[in-house]
Structures are given as structure tokens and as C-alpha cells.
Amino acid sequence: MTRKTVTAQYPDVQPELPPRSRGVIALFEENCTVCMLCARECPDWCIYIDSHKETVPAATPGGRERSRNVLDRFAIDFSLCMYCGICIEVCPFDALFWSPEFEYAETDILELTHERDKLREWMWTVPEPPALDPGAEEPKEIAAARKTAEKLEAQQNQEAQQAHQAQQKAEGEE
């Protein structure tokens, strides 16, 4: 209140955005399996996905052919989107991310439907996730894997020690 206010002249001076700010939704197409969870959970129904099934030949001789979904169209209508982030949260394969890009205004509302090419371009503006808190609790999956590895290592050490003792005993008897 005691300092003089300064107005940032926006088009000339870019604002300093806070880390992980929400701008637009970016698509990492390689991770998208066309599960449609994002489109089904969207409260505004602003995500449009089209796909087709493709047959993949057997990986090994005698194996069976598989079918997989191939993404044909992924579009988000930003004139309908309310930027709630539900689509990003429900994506099980990390195909959607928040990008800090905010300069995507259009003169025609029909041009606010952005196709996958534009969404893919924004993917490269997504910042790295923040570093993990060193004081945070270890994830349960990692803790379980570490416990299993420690058990296995202890078992191998015990077996090696028993083998060493048996070898010493055999040498002592000779």
C-alpha cells in the first residue's frame, strides 16, 4: 500500500507467470490410448475424440493378432472449456498436461476448437514437474519394491554365507 503501483504494459512486457500456471491443455499424443476417459468425464463435453481399430500382427510365431485403437482426431473446444482440469486428472496414461500458454485468442469463436496438431505444439511448453520434497513420505509402491529387494538381498547373503561355511567345513575335514 505504501509503494507506487506499476502497470505492466502487457503486449510489450510479458507477465511473470507463477510456476505450473494453467493456460491451455497440451496433448502428448504418443501416450494417448483413446480410452475416452477425458471426454466422458468432461463436465462441458468440450473434448472430441475420433478413432479406429487397427489389427497388429502377432509378435511371435503362433501368437494371435491384437487390435488397438488409433487416434484419428483429438480436439478441445476452448470456447466451452471451463479449465477445471478433470480431463488431466483422470487420464491414466499421462497424455494431457497443463501448459502455461495463454495467448491463443481468436477473432472468431469457431476457431477456438484446437485440433491435435495445435495441442501437440503446446506440449513442448509444459514445464518440468517440481522436484519431490525430500521430507515427503516415500510412495507405497517404491517402499514395497525396496522391502522386497532387501528381503531378496538378505536371503542371497544368507545362502552365500551358508555356502561359504559349508566350503570351509569341507576344507577343514580334508
Side-chain angles (χ1 to χ4, degrees), residues 25-164:
I25 298 167
L27 172 68
F28 189 52
E29 192 175 337
E30 289 77 16
N31 286 356
C32 184
T33 61
V34 196
C35 66
M36 308 285 258
L37 273 173
C38 55
R40 282 188 302 218
E41 294 295 325
C42 180
D44 292 332
W45 293 84
C46 65
I47 299 175
Y48 309 109
I49 301 174
D50 291 329
S51 67
H52 69 276
K53 290 209 180 273
E54 193 174 84
T55 304
V56 180
T60 59
R64 67 182 183 119
E65 292 180 337
R66 305 278 181 177
S67 66
R68 68 180 182 104
N69 288 329
V70 178
L71 185 65
D72 292 330
R73 179 180 186 222
F74 193 104
I76 299 177
D77 188 349
F78 285 106
S79 66
L80 296 175
C81 183
M82 65 180 183
Y83 303 91
C84 64
I86 292 174
C87 57
I88 295 168
E89 295 297 321
V90 300
C91 182
F93 302 104
D94 290 332
L96 297 173
F97 295 90
W98 281 116
S99 169
E101 288 293 314
F102 62 94
E103 298 178 306
Y104 56 94
E106 301 289 344
T107 56
D108 186 8
I109 196 167
L110 297 175
E111 294 175 6
L112 280 173
T113 301
H114 294 289
E115 298 292 331
R116 69 180 182 182
D117 296 333
K118 186 69 174 173
L119 299 174
R120 188 183 315 118
E121 285 177 27
W122 284 326
M123 185 60 212
W124 311 121
T125 64
V126 173
E128 288 289 321
L132 296 176
D133 183 8
E137 184 178 311
E138 187 176 47
K140 293 175 185 143
E141 296 86 359
I142 295 175
R146 185 183 321 282
K147 189 175 181 181
T148 304
E150 288 172 356
K151 272 187 185 178
L152 184 62
E153 184 180 353
Q155 184 181 14
Q156 288 174 345
N157 287 342
Q158 185 179 14
E159 289 173 0
Q161 188 177 15
Q162 288 174 353
H164 182 69

